[in-house]
């Protein structure tokens, strides 16, 4: 493929947000040229991407960047693996396919944090525009949009029991958890179509997707792809190293190019109109810092000249902690895993929360949490987990660049901050107790042989033992965000039009701009941000 010297728009990162922004710009501005720079390969021919139950096998693979959260006393001194997709489609190509927006209040908090105009009501048109919900269009849902969203098919008995058990404990059954009302238990919405993953590549860049015959999960043999839009170029295997600026460090400094490594060759590709960063919550702050946008003291230590002094770059890292070790041995054969990370979810409130802030899902065997399960010898046999997560976490962490000589996981140190706030630990202790109650319901009576952790069994643990259990088994629900936050205060990195403060021609559109983590898996909000970013760029 020939990469020209200049494009109108250069999008760095071809993940959940990057693919959506690229497709919208290319379609809405047919006279403009659009380039996507993606470090990973295009993912065609990878069965583990396409076949929903196989997604855990992608973790730790060559399609995972392989980031780690640094060891922290708050999680019993452990380092925690935090996978990120390194492939066209980004994390949407390796994720668990849950499609959930969470409680509307989670977005109203963005506005309260200084992201003017980013309430739930203002994002709703973009949520709707992105969706092709099988239930059809409604006030809350979209149909005919790029991303296919379906209810879990043939939910596993352990998922059905979750909904029934929650009802026994007094929680409502939700017909649709994405209809604004989130308190209760529901069958999950999934980015799955005809038994296969439906990533952002399938939805927004179908020319680069692996098509399959209806009803088939393809294994290695692909049908011909549709032709790509003539004004859109996607370069894979292309690692962005830094941004180029006209008049760097002065008023009116403009981002004009991206320096990237393509199969051993260093290129500098110019952007006539804008550069849009969509490298995700780790890649975006790293590239900003490497390019001179960040805390001046940190830039000086790295020997990088200051282009824009923004102390907030890499700060405000947020993620959802979940407790990975609440395992049970089943009293019957469970069969093959189904429906991504299990087919059902529960949302409920901790004592201190005004809106649902706790969440649970079921997962089988190694899917419970691969690293934990393997360590604890639970990776085989008929075991499953009912995993509680805190969607209203308050703890924050940070990312810093240690070396500009490398890029990616080796170049950064990431302090997750997980469980550094006592309130988060308290909420998760409550959540583990709730799971133990859930496991004791009639719904699970024929499914559970015995709990494999004392925290979920009869006799339970003392408060101190529960706190230790939560800290020892805390993992990431894979939702890092907030590291180039949108807002108006001194720590904000982008303004509400997603433009980076202090420079022209540079925006961020990905999970990094989220100022306050919403109470959901964050693929849906990231796609909504990307949809809105395209409108903001086109109206500039
Ligand atoms: C294992 C896993 C399970 C998850 N499960 C769910 C789920 O079920 N539901 C849900 O809602 N969310 C889930 N998530 C989270 C969700 O997928 C992500 O939050 C979302 O995809 C983030 O989108 P993004 O565009 O910000 O980043 P990404 O999708 O990660 O995209 C960033 C892209 O930039 C590329 N890139 C990075 N650095 C460079 C560079 N220097 N040069 C060029 N390219 C670069 C990357 O390769 C990647 O393609 C999961 C995530 C993971 C990893």
């Amino acid at each position: 493929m020939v990469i020209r010297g200049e494009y109108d728009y250069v999008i760095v990162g071809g993940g959940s947000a990057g693919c959506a922004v690229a497709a919208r710009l290319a379609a809405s501005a047919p006279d403009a040229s659009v380039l996507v720079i993606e470090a990973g390969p295009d993912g065609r021919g990878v069965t583990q991407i396409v076949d929903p139950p196989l997604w855990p096998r992608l973790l730790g693979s060559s399609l995972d960047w392989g980031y780690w959260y640094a060891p922290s006393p708050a999680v019993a001194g452990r380092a925690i693996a935090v996978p990120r997709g390194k492939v066209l489609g980004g994390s949407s190509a390796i994720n668990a396919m849950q499609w959930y927006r969470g409680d509307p209040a989670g977005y109203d908090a963005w506005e309260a944090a200084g992201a003017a105009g980013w309430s739930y009501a203002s994002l709703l048109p973009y949520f709707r525009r992105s969706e092709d919900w099988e239930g059809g269009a409604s006030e809350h849902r979209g149909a005919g949009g790029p991303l296919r969203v379906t209810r879990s098919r043939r939910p596993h008995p352990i998922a059905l029991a979750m909904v029934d058990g929650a009802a026994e404990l007094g929680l409502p059954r939700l017909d649709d958890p994405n209809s604004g009302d989130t308190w209760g238990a529901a069958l999950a919405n999934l980015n799955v179509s005809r038994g296969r993953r439906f990533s952002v590549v399938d939805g927004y860049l179908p020319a680069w997707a692996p098509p399959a015959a209806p009803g088939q999960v393809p294994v290695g043999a692909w049908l011909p792809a549709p032709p790509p839009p003539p004004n859109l170029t996607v370069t894979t295997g292309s690692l962005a190293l830094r941004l180029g600026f006209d008049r760097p460090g002065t008023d009116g400094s403009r981002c004009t190019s991206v320096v990237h490594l393509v199969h051993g060759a260093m290129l500098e590709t110019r952007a006539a109109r804008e550069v849009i960063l969509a490298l995700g919550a780790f890649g975006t702050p790293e590239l900003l810092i490497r390019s001179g946008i960040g805390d001046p003291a940190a830039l000086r230590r790295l020997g990088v000249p200051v282009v824009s002094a923004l102390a907030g770059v890499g700060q405000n890292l947020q993620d959802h902690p979940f407790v990975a070790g609440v395992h049970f041995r089943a009293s019957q054969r469970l069969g093959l895993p189904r429906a991504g990370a299990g087919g059902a979810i529960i949302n409920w409130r901790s004592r201190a929360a005004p809106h649902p802030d706790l969440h649970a899902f079921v997962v089988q065997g190694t899917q419970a949490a691969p690293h934990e399960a393997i360590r604890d010898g639970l990776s085989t046999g008929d075991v499953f987990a009912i995993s509680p997560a805190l969607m209203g976490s308050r703890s924050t962490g940070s990312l810093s660049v240690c070396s500009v000589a490398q890029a990616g996981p080796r170049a950064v140190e990431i302090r997750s901050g997980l469980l550094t706030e006592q309130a988060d630990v308290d909420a998760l202790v409550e959540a583990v107790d709730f799971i133990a109650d859930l496991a004791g319901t009639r719904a699970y009576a024929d499914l559970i042989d015995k709990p494999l952790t004392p925290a979920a069994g009869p006799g339970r643990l003392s408060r101190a033992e529960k706190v230790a259990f939560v800290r020892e088994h805390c993992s990431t629900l894979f939702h890092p965000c907030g590291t180039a936050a949108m807002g108006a205060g001194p720590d904000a990195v982008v303004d509400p039009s997603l433009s980076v403060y202090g420079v022209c021609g540079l925006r961020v559109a990905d999970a990094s701009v989220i100022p306050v983590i919403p109470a959901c898996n964050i693929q849906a909000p990231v796609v909504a941000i990307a949809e809105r970013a395209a409108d903001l760029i086109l109206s500039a």
Side-chain angles (χ1 to χ4, degrees):
M1 176 211 304
V2 178
I3 302 174
R4 300 203 313 261
E6 182 174 288
Y7 293 80
D8 289 307
Y9 298 107
V10 176
I11 296 161
V12 191
S16 298
C19 290
V21 175
R24 289 294 184 195
L25 291 181
S28 304
D31 295 337
S33 54
V34 180
L35 174 70
V36 176
I37 294 174
E38 166 55 42
D42 72 11
R44 278 183 252 206
V46 183
T47 310
Q48 292 91 332
I49 291 180
V50 182
D51 193 355
L54 299 187
W55 71 270
R57 295 193 197 168
L58 294 162
L59 312 189
S61 76
S62 63
L63 303 184
D64 172 5
W65 280 88
Y67 286 96
W68 285 81
Y69 285 148
S72 156
V75 292
R78 291 170 306 126
I80 295 175
V82 51
R84 299 283 84 199
K86 187 178 185 181
V87 58
L88 190 64
S91 299
S92 100
I94 71 164
N95 76 12
M97 291 154 281
Q98 302 280 321
W99 182 254
Y100 177 49
R101 295 175 198 162
D103 200 88
Y107 303 91
D108 296 340
W110 296 10
E111 228 180 2
W118 286 79
S119 63
Y120 179 74
S122 68
L123 269 173
L124 186 55
Y126 297 101
F127 280 125
R128 295 183 70 239
R129 185 167 100 177
S130 67
E131 282 185 341
D132 184 22
W133 163 233
E134 70 172 4
S138 68
E139 182 196 348
H140 286 279
R141 304 305 306 261
L147 284 179
R148 186 74 180 143
V149 184
T150 58
R151 281 203 180 83
S152 55
R153 300 261 185 281
R154 295 174 52 246
H156 197 281
I158 58 173
L160 290 170
M162 196 170 170
V163 179
D164 293 342
E168 284 180 47
L169 296 179
L171 270 81
R173 291 172 195 269
L174 292 173
D175 177 50
D176 176 9
N178 283 317
S179 62
D181 197 4
T182 59
W183 182 60
L187 292 182
N189 282 196
L190 299 168
N191 288 129
V192 173
S193 177
R194 296 178 172 174
R196 64 193 289 268
R197 176 194 294 273
F198 203 86
S199 78
V200 291
V201 183
D202 299 284
Y204 287 96
L205 300 182
W208 286 267
Q216 281 186 337
V217 173
V219 183
W222 313 107
L223 298 176
N231 60 338
L232 176 59
T233 305
V234 174
T235 163
T236 51
S238 179
L239 181 73
L241 295 176
R242 63 182 166 78
L243 305 171
F245 297 88
D246 275 355
R247 293 185 291 122
T250 63
D251 271 357
S253 163
R254 182 174 193 87
C255 181
T256 49
S257 66
V258 179
V259 176
H260 52 127
L261 196 60
V262 191
H263 304 299
M266 193 78 84
L267 299 184
E268 180 159 9
T269 305
R270 290 182 65 83
R273 297 192 193 172
E274 290 201 27
V275 172
I276 298 110
L277 302 187
L279 300 85
F282 302 148
T284 287
E286 184 200 333
L287 188 66
L288 286 169
I289 293 168
R290 300 166 71 84
S291 307
I293 299 178
D295 174 40
L299 293 173
R300 264 194 302 278
R301 274 197 300 278
L302 292 166
V304 177
V306 178
V307 173
S308 179
L310 291 177
V313 177
Q315 303 301 307
N316 190 48
L317 170 64
Q318 296 167 59
D319 198 349
H320 290 134
F322 91 104
V323 183
V326 193
H327 290 90
F328 302 89
R329 184 160 295 284
S331 50
Q332 50 180 265
R333 298 308 307 269
L334 293 177
L336 292 171
R338 295 183 203 163
I345 56 172
I346 308 182
N347 308 304
W348 76 106
R349 275 189 292 270
S350 65
R351 264 189 293 275
H355 304 285
D357 62 334
L358 295 173
H359 178 85
F361 51 95
V362 282
V363 272
Q364 272 175 259
T366 51
Q367 295 201 44
H371 301 285
E372 299 283 342
I374 291 163
R375 191 199 65 188
D376 295 351
L378 296 176
S379 58
T380 55
D382 289 305
V383 299
F384 68 99
I386 311 179
S387 300
L390 176 61
M391 300 304 229
S393 45
R394 297 167 182 79
S395 304
T396 58
S398 62
L399 171 147
S400 52
V401 173
C402 318
S403 156
V404 287
Q406 315 202 57
R410 290 193 187 159
V412 296
E413 185 184 28
I414 312 174
R415 293 159 297 276
S416 74
L418 288 173
L419 303 191
T420 47
E421 292 287 336
Q422 185 59 38
D424 290 0
V425 180
D426 295 343
L428 280 171
V429 165
E430 252 187 74
V432 172
D433 282 346
F434 177 90
I435 300 302
D437 291 343
L438 184 69
T441 58
R442 286 191 305 282
Y444 275 111
D446 293 336
L447 287 166
I448 292 179
D449 172 24
K450 60 174 181 186
L452 290 170
T453 165
R460 312 273 179 94
L461 300 174
S462 69
R463 158 102 194 149
E465 288 168 327
K466 285 182 204 167
V467 167
F469 176 79
V470 163
R471 292 198 187 281
E472 280 161 18
H473 289 84
C474 171
S475 190
T476 163
L477 204 54
F478 314 127
H479 301 155
C481 62
T483 44
M486 172 168 40
D491 291 332
V493 176
V494 299
D495 68 18
S497 72
L498 303 177
S499 299
V500 175
Y501 283 111
V503 289
C504 306
L506 181 62
R507 291 187 213 241
V508 179
D510 64 17
S512 358
V513 303
I514 292 175
V516 182
I517 193 166
C520 60
N521 317 70
I522 63 169
Q523 163 83 347
V526 166
V527 171
I529 289 168
E531 286 276 4
R532 189 168 197 183
D535 277 8
L536 290 165
I537 294 163
L538 289 165
S539 65

